[in-house]
Amino acid sequence: MSHVLCNVFHKRAITLLEEKFRALIITNNEIIRDKYTVARPKLRNPTWFTKKHRSLEPNFLTHENREFLSEIIQDRYNHIRPESVINTNIEWNPKLKRSGLIGRKIGVYPLWLKNGRKIATTLIQVLDNHVIKYIPPEEHNPPRKRVKQIINKKGCLLIGAEAADPSLFTKEYCGLFKNSGVIPKKILGRFLISPEGILPPGTLLNAMHFPVGHYVDVRGRTIDRGFQGVMKRHGFKGMPASHGVTKTHRRGGNIGGGGEKGRVWPGTKMPGHMGNRFRIAKGLKIWRINTKYNVLWVSGQAIPGDCNSVVYIYDSCLPTRKPKEPIPFPTYLLEDELPEDIYDKELHCFDEPSIIFDGST
Amino acid sequence: MYQTTRCVFKSKLNLKNVFRVCSTAAETATTTKEQERITSEGIRKKFTEYRYIYPEFLPSPEIKFRNAIREKLERKDMVARRTQIAIPEFYVGSILSVLTSDLHSPGKTEKFVGICIKREGCGLRAKFILRNVIDHEGVEVLYEMYDPTIQKIEVLRLEKRLDDELLYLRDALPEYSTFDVNMEAELLTEGAPVPINPIKIKLKPRPWLERWERKNLQGVEEINVPQHLWDRAAKSAKPWEKYDLMKTYMNTIPEEEQIEIFDEVKTQLQKLEITRKKMKRKRTFVKPTKLA
């Protein structure tokens, strides 16, 4: 008897407990209590990660031998050509996703518009981007999974830039480039693309991939500023310099109240490490392209990263700045001679006569 | 800074001259080689003068902002702009007149005459400040040298002053920065050195915009400030900085690099110079000044 009662009691207790837990779960959902609101930079190694550089031992090569080796490298990698032909017959639609490019931020200088307005532009040099590998959507298995269900799964295109001496790298790293026939590159980047826009390994991408007047997002690693105070890191005002203020001129001040909220709330702006994170500057217009040096003039002067640092350029994801007119879909293929500089129609070229305002304008 | 480098270079030249004198006494047979060397030196000397005539062609010496391709593209744009507008040789202390197109002025153009009190920036960011006193009020205009709204830049009086910056004119008596708006250009004989105006101006009594007693100004009459300010100036002075070779090196573009840079643009610049001279000659013949 007692045994049976015990069972009943148990069942009741469990149901009660369940209800209580449910209630707790709901309340827990209401309180957002996360340790970090801003994602910490973690070391997430890409799928193709291998050891890149090998330890360089002094190899006592003669001058002739060194020349011979460089000749071999030139013979082997001089004539890179894509294995198969690029399919250019696909009709572009706004849902298709293209590959991006790897570039180098090389400086900032002003340009002027035809209405006399001055704009600051950042120069991005598109490096020697070669397609190295394409991973189809079924095989692509990134280490970082944010969304559970992906409807239109994208393929992964591996692109390398900045050719280097293969003897600097390890055998495994050089093995990444083996099937493409491309000379090993210093910089690698992965771009998610629609499976329709597949590019064969060995294809060279150039700056004309992005037409003038097109909007791009630029991703780069911000300048590492180290451990910074609250004034530099979050733009706080600090405290007065005088009027009896002692020992607190650049400090943040109060960080919260007492009582129920008697703790440091998550996301409170405090001193800490600043910079050295990947950030994206979105919706930047391309004003001008130099086809000789593969340079893009992109609006703005606050593109993440130092001068001469590597940046990744994508088609803009902003809804109002997404491309509406057809763009060169898998990529732009160099066929005929291009002018050295291509300007936006709003832009004033430096070899045009001075701007004169008529009475009408 | 430039002055110091120039001094160094001059002393080098003098040394070379001395050596040449010694060597010519010993060997007279190698005259052709000598001549070659002299001509090459002449070219070199011209390039070294280019850094004063076209200072904005030298990039910023800050290492973290330097990139060879960007500098090359910038120089190309600068030369392209110079084909459209004559940007003459001028210095701080020269009197310029600048004609710009202005959307908001009644005639859609605006002319300003004034003394150049500052010249800064490199590349397409080069700019200068003109100052004049108009209707008893000091007016300063900052012009960007490569701004396409500028229609004409004319040097009315080409001269230098004793200082690299004339910002102290803001605290000087207004007569020192008053210039006639309808001033006519004064012609200098070709090839003549740029005259240096040794004028010493008088500052207004304090308060000032800056502590001028600390700036070691050459173009100012004796400054009357209390002794304790002189003491403080002496305390904050850094007289050893001019001997800091590393600092000079970090703040200047090396001469070899300067030659490389001007080598790239010299033909275009010389061509522009010649065309401008031709135009100048034409203008002087066509438009004689009316007397009486």
Side-chain angles (χ1 to χ4, degrees):
Chain A
M1 184 67 192
S2 65
H3 188 74
V4 171
L5 261 177
C6 195
N7 257 353
V8 168
F9 179 73
H10 256 286
K11 272 178 188 170
R12 267 188 190 172
I14 285 159
T15 48
L16 271 173
L17 265 174
E18 267 180 3
E19 269 170 25
K20 265 191 181 175
F21 273 127
R22 226 171 273 151
L24 263 177
I25 287 159
I26 290 159
T27 48
N28 270 353
N29 277 351
E30 276 168 7
I31 300 165
I32 300 156
R33 240 183 150 183
D34 199 359
K35 202 174 177 190
Y36 300 105
T37 47
V38 183
R40 271 191 145 193
K42 283 177 202 162
L43 192 68
R44 291 185 192 87
N45 291 328
T47 42
W48 55 82
F49 182 76
T50 52
K51 202 186 164 211
K52 191 173 174 186
H53 295 284
R54 69 187 189 87
S55 56
L56 294 168
E57 285 147 20
N59 46 1
F60 304 102
L61 285 173
T62 59
H63 185 68
E64 290 87 47
N65 278 351
R66 220 166 267 158
E67 271 187 0
F68 177 66
L69 278 178
S70 67
E71 250 173 53
I72 286 179
I73 292 164
Q74 274 185 0
D75 280 355
R76 198 168 161 198
Y77 296 111
N78 241 359
H79 311 286
I80 308 163
R81 258 190 216 134
E83 289 160 7
S84 54
V85 186
I86 303 163
N87 185 10
T88 48
N89 295 330
I90 310 148
E91 205 174 297
W92 179 83
N93 67 63
K95 280 187 182 174
L96 290 174
K97 207 174 176 190
R98 296 196 304 163
S99 153
L101 293 181
I102 301 169
R104 206 174 263 286
K105 176 181 165 180
I106 59 171
V108 179
Y109 75 63
L111 294 179
W112 280 268
L113 302 184
K114 283 206 167 105
N115 60 7
R117 200 164 68 84
K118 184 180 131 182
I119 51 164
T121 52
T122 304
L123 282 80
I124 296 171
Q125 192 195 10
V126 174
L127 303 170
D128 50 341
N129 285 254
H130 273 109
V131 176
I132 283 151
K133 201 179 176 185
Y134 173 71
I135 307 164
E138 308 84 52
E139 288 170 31
H140 181 50
N141 185 23
R144 230 174 135 198
K145 291 178 190 72
R146 283 190 196 157
V147 193
K148 277 178 189 170
Q149 216 184 7
I150 301 167
I151 302 156
N152 287 322
K153 214 182 168 196
K154 303 281 190 290
C156 175
L157 197 70
L158 191 60
I159 284 176
E162 256 189 25
D165 183 6
S167 65
L168 295 171
F169 303 122
T170 58
K171 209 175 174 184
E172 294 80 38
Y173 188 79
C174 289
L176 290 173
F177 302 85
K178 205 178 169 187
N179 293 333
S180 63
V182 178
I183 188 164
K185 305 270 186 174
K186 273 187 202 166
I187 309 155
L188 281 176
R190 68 132 182 69
F191 297 92
L192 298 180
I193 58 161
S194 311
E196 292 93 327
I198 177 174
L199 289 166
T203 314
L204 179 68
L205 308 175
N206 60 325
M208 289 297 289
H209 184 74
F210 298 110
V212 169
H214 189 77
Y215 290 92
V216 288
D217 295 347
V218 181
R219 179 172 178 263
R221 193 191 278 273
T222 56
I223 297 169
D224 192 355
R225 294 181 195 276
F227 194 99
Q228 286 300 331
V230 111
M231 278 176 79
K232 186 162 190 159
R233 195 173 180 226
H234 300 294
F236 280 20
K237 207 176 168 187
M239 304 272 172
S242 60
H243 290 276
V245 180
T246 55
K247 297 178 188 175
T248 162
H249 302 291
R250 297 185 61 90
R251 299 174 85 169
N254 190 9
I255 55 163
E260 189 126 324
K261 297 178 278 183
R263 57 191 165 82
V264 180
W265 278 63
T268 306
K269 288 175 179 175
M270 284 204 274
H273 192 275
M274 184 180 173
N276 197 19
R277 291 176 186 200
F278 277 106
R279 288 286 176 269
I280 306 172
K282 284 182 186 174
L284 313 172
K285 191 178 177 182
I286 293 174
W287 289 100
R288 177 180 163 187
I289 292 176
N290 184 298
T291 49
K292 191 181 170 191
Y293 295 104
N294 264 347
V295 176
L296 307 171
W297 275 255
V298 152
S299 59
Q301 52 189 357
I303 282 164
D306 228 332
C307 190
N308 297 321
S309 65
V310 175
V311 290
Y312 300 87
I313 316 157
Y314 309 89
D315 289 317
S316 185
C317 68
L318 298 180
T320 53
R321 293 185 188 183
K322 269 184 180 173
K324 275 153 199 153
E325 287 150 22
I327 44 172
F329 176 56
T331 184
Y332 182 89
L333 298 171
L334 280 175
E335 278 155 9
D336 38 74
E337 283 279 301
L338 285 167
E340 200 191 320
D341 274 290
I342 301 164
Y343 294 85
D344 190 80
K345 56 179 182 288
E346 275 179 64
L347 205 67
H348 176 270
C349 315
F350 284 99
D351 48 4
E352 280 175 3
S354 304
I355 297 165
I356 293 168
F357 300 118
D358 303 331
S360 57
T361 50
Chain B
M1 221 158 295
Y2 279 140
Q3 274 179 355
T4 52
T5 49
R6 194 182 206 184
C7 285
V8 168
F9 188 61
K10 266 188 181 170
S11 63
K12 265 186 199 168
L13 274 184
N14 286 339
L15 272 177
K16 272 177 194 168
N17 284 336
V18 169
F19 283 129
R20 203 183 296 142
V21 167
C22 298
S23 65
T24 43
E27 43 184 302
T28 46
T30 57
T31 44
T32 50
K33 269 192 178 178
E34 276 287 297
Q35 273 179 350
E36 263 177 34
R37 203 192 297 159
I38 290 162
T39 49
S40 69
E41 230 163 58
I43 291 162
R44 209 173 151 188
K45 204 180 168 190
K46 206 173 178 192
F47 284 157
T48 50
E49 265 159 27
Y50 267 20
R51 67 175 166 219
Y52 305 110
I53 303 171
Y54 307 105
E56 74 274 6
F57 274 91
L58 297 179
S60 161
E62 186 83 44
I63 282 167
K64 63 178 176 184
F65 298 137
R66 293 205 62 183
N67 183 290
I69 289 168
R70 199 218 56 239
E71 282 161 17
K72 198 175 255 187
L73 290 167
E74 207 166 0
R75 257 176 264 139
K76 206 189 91 187
D77 284 350
M78 285 155 80
V79 171
R81 179 68 193 141
R82 273 171 182 271
T83 58
Q84 296 301 319
I85 179 185
I87 300 174
E89 171 190 358
F90 69 94
Y91 302 92
V92 168
S94 302
I95 296 159
L96 310 184
S97 98
V98 178
L99 182 74
T100 53
S101 31
D102 184 9
L103 194 59
H104 304 292
S105 68
K108 304 289 173 195
T109 54
E110 200 158 286
K111 194 188 163 195
F112 188 79
V113 174
I115 184 169
C116 176
I117 59 165
K118 196 178 181 179
R119 199 173 165 177
E120 60 172 352
C122 40
L124 286 169
R125 277 183 252 193
K127 46 194 133 181
F128 57 92
I129 303 175
L130 295 189
R131 180 181 168 83
N132 201 347
V133 174
I134 290 160
D135 294 342
H136 308 293
E137 195 164 348
V139 181
E140 280 179 19
V141 184
L142 188 146
Y143 288 105
E144 301 234 11
M145 270 166 81
Y146 293 90
D147 189 343
T149 56
I150 290 181
Q151 289 178 22
K152 198 182 176 190
I153 303 176
E154 204 182 353
V155 180
L156 304 180
R157 188 187 294 157
L158 183 69
E159 64 179 17
K160 289 179 190 171
R161 288 287 186 96
L162 297 172
D163 294 302
D164 294 340
E165 271 180 12
L166 300 180
L167 293 177
Y168 56 77
L169 286 181
R170 292 166 176 172
D171 282 322
L173 294 171
E175 67 220 43
Y176 293 109
S177 41
T178 313
F179 298 95
D180 185 14
V181 182
N182 303 314
M183 197 174 152
E184 285 216 1
E186 292 169 10
L187 286 175
L188 256 181
T189 51
E190 229 163 79
V194 182
I196 297 171
N197 190 351
I199 187 175
K200 297 235 173 193
I201 63 122
K202 210 172 175 185
L203 289 180
K204 279 194 274 189
R206 284 170 67 227
W208 294 329
L209 291 164
E210 277 178 65
R211 294 159 172 161
W212 299 120
E213 77 275 5
R214 295 188 179 190
K215 305 272 171 168
N216 190 22
L217 301 176
Q218 300 300 312
V220 173
E221 266 183 27
E222 51 184 306
I223 298 169
N224 293 322
V225 286
Q227 186 55 40
H228 72 273
L229 290 181
W230 285 117
D231 295 345
R232 263 188 233 167
K235 225 178 196 178
S236 69
K238 288 168 184 164
W240 58 85
E241 261 184 4
K242 64 182 171 189
Y243 305 111
D244 193 344
L245 286 177
M246 204 57 216
K247 198 169 182 188
T248 329
Y249 175 73
M250 298 294 271
N251 289 320
T252 44
I253 303 284
E255 202 189 311
E256 299 80 43
E257 223 167 307
Q258 287 187 17
I259 288 169
E260 214 170 89
I261 287 163
F262 285 123
D263 223 20
E264 192 190 303
V265 285
K266 74 175 177 197
T267 46
Q268 290 148 309
L269 287 178
Q270 276 168 355
K271 220 182 267 174
L272 290 172
E273 250 174 51
I274 289 161
T275 50
R276 207 197 312 147
K277 268 178 194 166
K278 270 184 196 167
M279 290 295 288
K280 217 180 190 178
R281 238 174 274 152
K282 247 185 212 171
R283 221 180 293 142
T284 47
F285 283 126
V286 168
K287 210 177 113 190
T289 46
K290 230 180 195 178
L291 294 167

